[in-house]
Amino acid sequence: MIKMTSVTRDSLQTFMVQGFRALGLTEEDATIFADALIFSELRFHPGHGQGVRRLRRYQERIAAGLVNVSAPWEVVKESPALALVDAHNGIGTVAAARAMRLAIQKAKVCGIGQVIVRNSTHYGSSAVHAVQAAEAGCIGTSFTNAGPEMAPWGGREGAVGTNPWGIAAPTGLGFPVVMDIALTTAGKGMMQWHAREGKPMPLDWALTPEGAETDDPNAAMAGALLGIGTYKGYGLAFMTDVLTGVIGGGGYGLTPYSDQAKLDVSHTLTAIDIEWFMPLEEFRARMDDFARMVKSRALRPGFSEILLPGEQEARRVARKSAAGVPLDDEVLADLRNLGRELGIAAEIETVGPYQDTVL
């Protein structure tokens, strides 16, 4: 197992905010960005790569002038229920968070609000933005396109992105139900994790550059990713480009990430106000009843329980918040080095070696 160390959540949060402030972000934007990365670090397997390790990547991109930390957030066109936003190559996570905030405001007036963001950059985890709506009493959906890492069905070269989806709804269970998926079977972060552990990966994750299925993560790193459900994942990813970049006037297909100085990513954020349809508490009760129905079904051999979408992640958040956030030792060392480079006063406080077998 990759060596990991548990650190306190609060110290990590403070460090991340100070890090983004040192990179030139405003206090508000630094807090939005840090909160999003902590959210992802708590919820997901570290191999997904959506957590705090990205501070180094953003430091490199900002230092190279490849992302504009002071970019204006321009509403290009607006109606009571819709808006089109230009992010001007700014921080995608911040642009998407503001877009969902606007979508929620519109939903509270019209019953539904949708904001499309163009000319943006990587926006992190889709769940971050979908949950934002659920916390406001809405059903939230969060789509983005990405660089062309997925092969179209029948092809061996990338043509569409992992194009993640996030969908979240409130419940009375103590956590929202959340579906957060890439439309590829896995991403290259998990392939790298398998390579570091010296383990083979499933054959349905990726292709070699020659188009052969492989369980060797090193051989697959230069190839294209495969969609979930074979041709179905490709179809969903194609339509996600339509729902984001094509209709938004932004990049799509081969365009996103083709120019590192202008990633040309597009996002679509939607909020549906539950109160337009019924009282929120009635909706929560119906969701809880639905959950009981699902969990009442007979189990397959080898399974101990049926989980709801987002339930495993909610348990991770609770466990990591209480016992410490496990960080890859390489990531922790790099964050501390970056802290010294940027003159960050905050220290990341350790709890001790992470010895559990569950991530």
Side-chain angles (χ1 to χ4, degrees):
M1 188 173 178
I2 292 170
K3 291 183 64 176
M4 307 190 77
T5 298
S6 294
V7 305
T8 65
R9 174 180 178 169
D10 289 347
S11 71
L12 187 60
Q13 179 102 18
T14 301
F15 180 90
M16 295 301 293
V17 171
Q18 290 189 13
F20 285 125
R21 291 287 286 131
L23 294 178
L25 277 70
T26 65
E27 184 72 27
E28 179 186 6
D29 289 357
T31 301
I32 290 172
F33 207 175
D35 286 350
L37 293 188
I38 295 293
F39 176 102
S40 297
E41 195 67 57
L42 292 170
R43 287 185 67 85
F44 302 119
H45 187 291
H48 290 168
Q50 296 300 337
V52 297
R53 71 178 61 212
R54 286 196 167 270
L55 181 60
R56 170 65 76 176
R57 178 65 175 144
Y58 273 94
Q59 179 265 333
E60 293 170 345
R61 289 187 55 77
I62 291 168
L66 300 178
V67 60
N68 182 5
V69 298
S70 303
W73 192 81
E74 178 191 4
V75 178
V76 177
K77 187 175 183 180
E78 188 172 18
S79 78
L82 300 169
L84 175 64
V85 168
D86 194 313
H88 291 282
N89 205 44
I91 303 292
T93 300
V94 174
R98 288 180 172 166
M100 182 55 91
R101 186 188 306 163
L102 179 58
I104 293 166
Q105 291 169 358
K106 291 179 176 297
K108 295 300 181 179
V109 174
C110 299
I112 188 169
Q114 185 171 84
V115 179
I116 297 178
V117 183
R118 69 187 184 198
N119 194 17
S120 188
T121 57
H122 183 270
Y123 87 160
S125 157
S126 292
V128 169
H129 313 297
V131 168
Q132 187 180 339
E135 290 175 343
C138 296
I139 295 173
T141 71
S142 169
F143 301 157
T144 188
N145 62 8
E149 293 185 293
M150 184 199 299
W153 184 242
R156 62 182 174 88
E157 295 180 308
V160 291
T162 57
N163 291 7
W165 287 17
I167 304 175
T171 71
L173 302 171
F175 61 92
V177 289
V178 186
M179 184 191 75
D180 184 323
I181 57 169
L183 298 178
T184 50
T185 311
K188 291 193 173 178
M190 286 304 298
M191 289 165 54
Q192 291 169 339
W193 191 269
H194 275 64
R196 287 181 62 194
E197 289 193 316
K199 295 180 179 178
M201 67 185 199
L203 282 171
D204 63 351
W205 280 17
L207 304 171
T208 66
E210 295 71 36
E213 293 183 352
T214 180
D215 63 0
D216 181 351
N218 292 302
M221 284 301 296
L225 301 177
L226 291 169
I228 57 174
T230 62
Y231 58 88
K232 296 180 182 180
Y234 155 60
L236 290 170
F238 184 98
M239 296 308 296
T240 303
D241 261 312
V242 175
L243 291 167
T244 55
V246 176
I247 193 172
Y252 50 86
L254 302 182
T255 305
Y257 283 77
S258 62
D259 179 356
Q260 288 299 304
K262 187 180 186 298
L263 296 187
D264 211 1
V265 177
S266 300
H267 327 302
T268 296
L269 295 305
T270 307
I272 302 169
D273 184 28
I274 292 166
E275 293 276 3
W276 192 92
F277 295 90
M278 65 182 69
L280 181 57
E281 288 311 307
E282 181 182 349
F283 177 84
R284 291 183 191 275
R286 291 171 64 83
M287 287 294 294
D288 296 357
D289 185 50
F290 181 26
R292 283 190 291 271
M293 290 179 185
V294 171
K295 285 178 169 288
S296 73
R297 298 292 78 191
L299 295 171
R300 286 171 53 187
F303 286 78
S304 60
E305 66 175 321
I306 293 168
L307 296 173
L308 304 174
E311 187 169 10
Q312 177 174 262
E313 290 80 1
R315 291 178 184 178
R316 277 199 189 111
V317 172
R319 186 173 68 246
K320 292 179 180 181
S321 297
V325 184
L327 293 184
D328 177 346
D329 280 3
E330 290 185 5
V331 172
L332 178 57
D334 186 56
L335 286 175
R336 285 174 164 162
N337 287 335
L338 183 56
R340 287 188 285 271
E341 293 169 24
L342 297 176
I344 299 172
E347 295 284 346
I348 301 174
E349 300 171 1
T350 60
V351 176
Y354 184 76
Q355 297 174 322
D356 202 339
T357 57
V358 177
L359 287 171

